[in-house]
Amino acid sequence: LSDTQLVILSAAAQREDRNVLPLPGSLRGGAAAKVVGALLKRGLIAETTTDSQTKADAALNRIWRNGEDGRAILLHITDAGLAAIGVEPEGGDSAPTSANEAPTAEAPKDAPAASDPAPKARTPRTGTKQAKLIDMLRADGGATIDEIVAETGWQAHTVRGAMSGALKKKLGLTITSEKIEGRGRAYMIADN
């Protein structure tokens, strides 16, 4: 998941009605459609058709679009979307409950991918910079950011991003660190 997708899913998970909208203010037009389309395709969010004839209004930013029959279509995070960001669904019902939402809505758990199992942990490919990073972090004493930068050619912020995103979130590895005198902060993969 991209940072923007994580922000959108996290915000929706915190809302009582689980509505994906409003999107972050900087996300508009084609960019919004692309991000929402990717989340819909992966089954992490679902469109929910209501009986309401309320028009989609950019100022309110609560209704995604209107269907061909004029009914309002909302976006809600699915159970798969909650699982993707590590949130347990509450009672399995993620339908809208807010008073300002339409009274009847299909539960987003009916989305096609909502019945899919939780995402599987990925395994790194061999011979890549990511594999080299993992080897360095598994080595005795781990590795410092500067050592990883020298070995991979990445910038320091890329190394930190790879550790938090690819290794922690996608591969599920536990990264620890400790300050070593004369060397600085060394990072290593904790044995699980």
Side-chain angles (χ1 to χ4, degrees):
L1 293 174
S2 71
D3 290 341
T4 303
Q5 291 171 328
L6 288 172
V7 167
I8 291 169
L9 293 176
S10 296
Q14 293 173 10
R15 293 187 185 108
E16 189 174 318
D17 62 357
R18 300 288 195 223
N19 197 343
V20 171
L21 302 175
L23 296 173
S26 61
L27 194 61
R28 293 196 170 102
K34 186 174 182 180
V35 170
V36 167
L39 291 170
L40 284 167
K41 185 176 180 181
R42 293 178 69 180
L44 302 178
I45 63 173
E47 290 185 334
T48 307
T49 305
T50 67
D51 288 335
S52 171
Q53 294 288 324
T54 307
K55 293 283 185 203
D57 182 1
L60 295 175
N61 204 12
R62 299 292 291 164
I63 298 172
W64 175 240
R65 64 183 179 91
N66 291 98
E68 292 177 12
D69 58 359
R71 297 190 314 172
I73 297 177
L74 310 175
L75 294 173
H76 290 92
I77 189 169
T78 62
D79 289 346
L82 292 171
I85 59 171
V87 175
E88 279 292 318
E90 297 171 8
D93 183 18
S94 50
T97 56
S98 177
N100 65 353
E101 296 297 335
T104 59
E106 298 170 13
K109 64 183 176 185
D110 293 337
S115 60
D116 290 347
K120 297 176 185 166
R122 298 179 180 178
T123 55
R125 295 185 328 225
T126 57
T128 63
K129 288 184 181 181
Q130 184 182 51
K132 188 181 292 189
L133 172 63
I134 292 170
D135 290 341
M136 291 179 76
L137 295 175
R138 284 200 169 127
D140 198 29
T144 66
I145 298 289
D146 290 338
E147 292 167 351
I148 298 168
V149 165
E151 186 69 25
T152 62
W154 288 341
Q155 293 187 10
H157 69 274
T158 305
V159 172
R160 288 188 291 274
M163 284 194 289
S164 70
L167 302 188
K168 283 184 176 180
K169 292 177 185 170
K170 291 186 179 173
L171 296 177
L173 300 173
T174 303
I175 309 289
T176 61
S177 71
E178 67 179 65
K179 196 162 189 174
I180 300 174
E181 192 171 323
R183 190 168 168 215
R185 183 156 302 277
Y187 297 86
M188 55 216 69
I189 295 175
D191 292 327
N192 292 336

